Every structure is written in structure tokens, then in C-alpha cells.
Amino acid sequence: IQPVIYEMYLAELRILSEEYIAEALKKKGIPYADISASHATSLQTSGDETFSVSVHVAHKDFPEAVRTVSEVMGAIDAGRTDMNDLSRVRHICMDHVRNNSNEPTFSNAEYVDRCIAAFLYNGSLATVNTKFNFLAGRQLADTTDLRLFNNISSALLDPGKNLTVSYTSDMAEADVRNIFESAWESPADLSEGSKVYTTADFYHHVDYDAKVKIKSERTDHMSKGKEWTFSNGFKVVFKSMPTDGRIYYNLALNGGFGSVEGLQKGEGGYIGDYFMFSRIYNIPAKDFIGLMASEGMSMDVHVGLNAMMVSGAADADKPDFMLKSLLAVMNGRKRDDDAVRYYESAEGLRHQMRKGTSAEMVAKVNDLMCPDYTHVSYKMLE
């Protein structure tokens, strides 16, 4: 039980670290190319486990970025994590465990590695399905859950023990150390200026008066489910499956970035990002996704060449919430100019990280072979 609970709290810590650092950098106006937190267990690496946080910023922003990361991790160490954030992230982590619960068969070598990790480091031998069933059955008050999370985070994080700070900068090590240590001892207020949104903030906007009826029904050849064609032209394929109390949905809309008029070469790859630069009935898209997560619903938006896909999952007892969320996304979305400007300020940094990748090589070969083709999905800075 102990390693299973520990793994869950470390997964939550990973997401919260990324979110809090991203929000703190944004408040300070510091563009970043990437923020990633990772937890490597003794099963994944020889020796002790590691928890790492990595941030990529411009050279001129390095000192303030060090300060920001230290302030945030110091705040988590000091037990300042917001209870609402922890509850929301718990849903996200449980979704991840649920999705991986149909565990594939392990090779003999992998079984041996798991046994070694269990013997030497108290690693878990439980299957993902067993872990999910145990975690789903835990009934803890939010206050108790937060206290346990804070205890584990505080025990793990320490500015002076078992800590390595690696960086690429010409700043003297002593100066970096001074910034890091002083900022850790002056932790940030993680909930400062943040607003907690509820379903009431968008529910009263969502209204659909039109009456629609099923015009025809037939069996879908691929899924063997029911295909309903409604009077407004929408088609729905439904199939009842043993999904453990979850509804899995996929809204497919014809017309991807290939249908955008006047699209220039290299712009198609950016179209899919624009969902996160919007406000949905005045709720920032990031917070809207977080609100859905707190209600047990996930959403992913992907824009391809020929179609736009909105997909995810929701609790089976909340189909009304799922449908109203989809209506809100479709009908209540407006551009967030501040989010767009911040995204653009960091694109040069992200472009540098893309250099030399296989995606860039493929894009260059395609450009040589088909120089007149504009609907490429690779993001071109120019």
C-alpha cells in the first residue's frame, strides 16, 4: 500500500510543480519554452529515485527564473499547496491510472527488475489494475489528503539535502546559490490572485432551445454500435461497453487547418494551440479544463489537416455536464489576447528547442520535395 500511495502523491506533485511554476513565470512576464517535472523510480533507474524539475528560459531571464522556481518549490515544501488544486489534480492522475489499468503482459526481464526494485527499494509489485482499484476505493477527506500530500512533499523536498542544481549560464555558482537559497526561504503564495471557477460561471450561459429528433437509426459497420442521424444533421455513434463507470467521447468536426483560407506555410501547426488562447464565457481555457477535471471530466483538442477532434472522458452519471461543457466550448469561445501575446513571446525559445529534431528534418525534406505545398503541420517561426 505504501509505495502505491507514494507514487500517486509524486504524480500529483509533478503536475502541480509544472502548473505553479508556469503560472508564476507568467505573472512575472517571463516567457518559457518548456517546463517539465519528472519522477524516476528505482524501477526505472539504478540507485536512488529522483524527482526533477526542468525549466527552459532565455539567458536574460535566468536569474529571475531561478528565483521563481525556488519560490514555488519552497512554497510546496512549506505546505502551501491549495486544496482545490490538489483535488483537481487527483482526478487527472486517477484518469491516467485508469487508462493504463489494462496492463500489457510483462517480459521475464521486466518481472525481474520489478522484484529487484521491490526487494531493495520497497517498490510495488502490484499490477496497475490492482493499484487503480485500491486508489479508487480510498475514502479520504480533502483536508486529510492535503495533510498527507504536504507531509510527503516536505519530506522529499529540501534545499540543502540530496539536491543538485544544474544550469547552463555564465553566472557564478555562488550567485546562483544565493538566489536559490534566499528564494526558497521566501516561498511564494501559490493561491495569490487565483480565482476558483465553478459550474455556475458557465452553466447559466449554456442554452439550447432547438428541438431535434432522430431522423434515422442504423448499425455502424465499424463499431457495431448505434448510429443516430439527427434532424440538424449531426450524427452520433453510441455503443455501450464495460468502461467502469465512464463515458468516452469524441466530437469530430469536419474541416481542419486545411480549410483555413489564406493559410501560409508553417502556420497550420499553430492552429491546434489556439484553443488554449481563448476564454470560454470569460473563463480562461486553462481554468475551464481545470474546472472540468475537478468534476471528473477530461478534454483534449486536436486540429488536424481535415478535421478537428474534441475528445475525453467523463463520469457516467454526468452526461449533462459533459454535453453542456461541449456546448460551452463550441458556442462560448472568444480569443484571449493576453494569452496569445504571451505565447508569441516564447515561440522563439520553443523554435530553438525544435532545431535538430526529427520533425524538423522531415519538414525540410518535405519542403525540398513539395515547395508549393502550404498545408504542413510543422511550426515555422517565420
Side-chain angles (χ1 to χ4, degrees):
I1 290 175
Q2 186 181 27
V4 172
I5 295 176
Y6 181 68
E7 285 175 18
M8 174 58 74
Y9 282 130
L10 265 290
E12 294 169 352
L13 176 61
R14 179 180 59 79
I15 297 175
L16 287 169
S17 299
E18 292 176 352
E19 288 188 354
Y20 282 144
I21 292 172
E23 190 62 28
L25 289 174
K26 187 175 180 180
K27 285 180 179 177
K28 293 183 178 183
I30 302 174
Y32 63 87
D34 181 61
I35 299 173
S36 61
S38 61
H39 173 222
T41 68
S42 299
L43 174 62
Q44 298 163 314
T45 180
S46 59
D48 294 333
E49 65 176 333
T50 59
F51 182 83
S52 307
V53 177
S54 176
V55 180
H56 295 260
V57 297
H59 184 268
K60 64 180 179 63
D61 294 321
F62 173 73
E64 194 58 36
V66 172
R67 185 183 312 279
T68 303
V69 172
S70 306
E71 288 172 346
V72 169
M73 299 312 294
I76 296 175
D77 180 26
R80 296 190 179 183
T81 299
D82 185 86
M83 188 161 62
N84 292 315
D85 290 333
L86 182 64
S87 177
R88 171 178 52 80
V89 167
R90 186 194 315 137
H91 283 289
I92 297 173
C93 292
M94 283 299 295
D95 275 350
H96 180 72
V97 177
R98 180 191 284 108
N99 292 337
N100 290 307
S101 60
N102 294 322
E103 193 173 284
T105 303
F106 286 111
S107 67
N108 287 341
E110 288 173 301
Y111 274 118
V112 171
D113 287 340
R114 291 181 67 172
C115 289
I116 292 172
F119 180 76
L120 294 178
Y121 304 106
N122 195 33
S124 172
L125 285 172
T127 64
V128 180
N129 192 50
T130 300
K131 293 178 184 179
F132 171 74
N133 290 334
F134 166 72
L135 292 169
R138 287 174 78 218
Q139 298 295 327
L140 282 180
D142 286 345
T143 51
T144 303
D145 199 38
L146 180 62
R147 177 173 56 80
L148 292 173
F149 174 83
N150 285 336
N151 287 345
I152 287 177
S153 298
S154 181
L156 178 74
L157 302 174
D158 192 293
K161 297 178 181 177
N162 297 324
L163 177 70
T164 302
V165 178
S166 305
Y167 58 92
T168 303
S169 172
D170 54 7
M171 181 179 286
E173 180 182 337
D175 294 334
V176 176
R177 184 185 297 275
N178 287 337
I179 293 174
F180 186 88
E181 291 179 348
S182 62
W184 193 290
E185 296 305 320
S186 305
D189 185 350
L190 299 177
S191 60
E192 181 184 4
S194 61
K195 173 174 169 51
V196 178
Y197 293 93
T198 66
T199 55
D201 291 310
F202 78 93
Y203 249 42
H204 69 280
H205 294 290
V206 180
D207 192 18
Y208 193 72
D209 293 329
K211 302 295 183 182
V212 294
K213 296 181 179 180
I214 296 177
K215 287 179 60 179
S216 64
E217 178 180 323
R218 70 183 187 89
T219 300
D220 178 63
H221 294 300
M222 291 187 66
S223 67
K224 305 304 179 185
K226 296 178 181 178
E227 182 185 289
W228 299 317
T229 301
F230 287 86
S231 55
N232 62 356
F234 262 78
K235 291 185 178 181
V236 173
V237 177
F238 171 79
K239 186 176 183 180
S240 180
M241 299 177 70
T243 56
D244 196 25
R246 298 283 282 174
I247 299 173
Y248 292 87
Y249 69 90
N250 184 33
L251 176 63
L253 301 172
N254 289 333
F257 65 78
S259 63
V260 178
E261 293 186 9
L263 194 73
Q264 301 297 308
K265 184 182 292 186
E267 291 179 348
Y270 292 103
I271 302 295
D273 292 350
Y274 266 72
F275 172 73
M276 295 306 293
F277 313 146
S278 56
R279 298 181 77 90
I280 301 160
Y281 291 122
N282 209 35
I283 303 175
K286 177 181 70 68
D287 293 316
F288 188 82
I289 295 290
L291 169 58
M292 288 192 296
S294 67
E295 296 287 338
M297 178 177 168
S298 63
M299 178 180 286
D300 179 63
V301 178
H302 172 73
V303 181
L305 178 63
N306 299 311
M308 173 180 173
M309 302 287 189
V310 184
S311 59
D315 291 336
D317 61 350
K318 293 184 178 179
D320 187 64
F321 177 77
M322 181 190 77
L323 292 172
K324 285 189 175 182
S325 297
L326 287 170
L327 279 172
V329 167
M330 292 298 108
N331 299 332
R333 195 173 69 256
K334 291 185 178 179
R335 171 182 163 122
D336 187 335
D337 290 332
D338 290 339
V340 173
R341 281 192 289 268
Y342 184 72
Y343 176 86
E344 290 174 344
S345 71
E347 181 54 22
L349 296 172
R350 286 189 291 269
H351 178 70
Q352 290 296 322
M353 292 188 69
R354 290 195 293 268
K355 282 187 172 297
T357 62
S358 58
E360 185 192 42
M361 297 300 104
V362 170
K364 288 183 176 181
V365 171
N366 285 343
D367 195 36
L368 288 172
M369 296 177 65
C370 309
D372 297 328
Y373 185 66
T374 59
H375 293 107
V376 294
S377 59
Y378 183 75
K379 298 174 179 177
M380 297 182 180
L381 183 64
E382 61 272 17

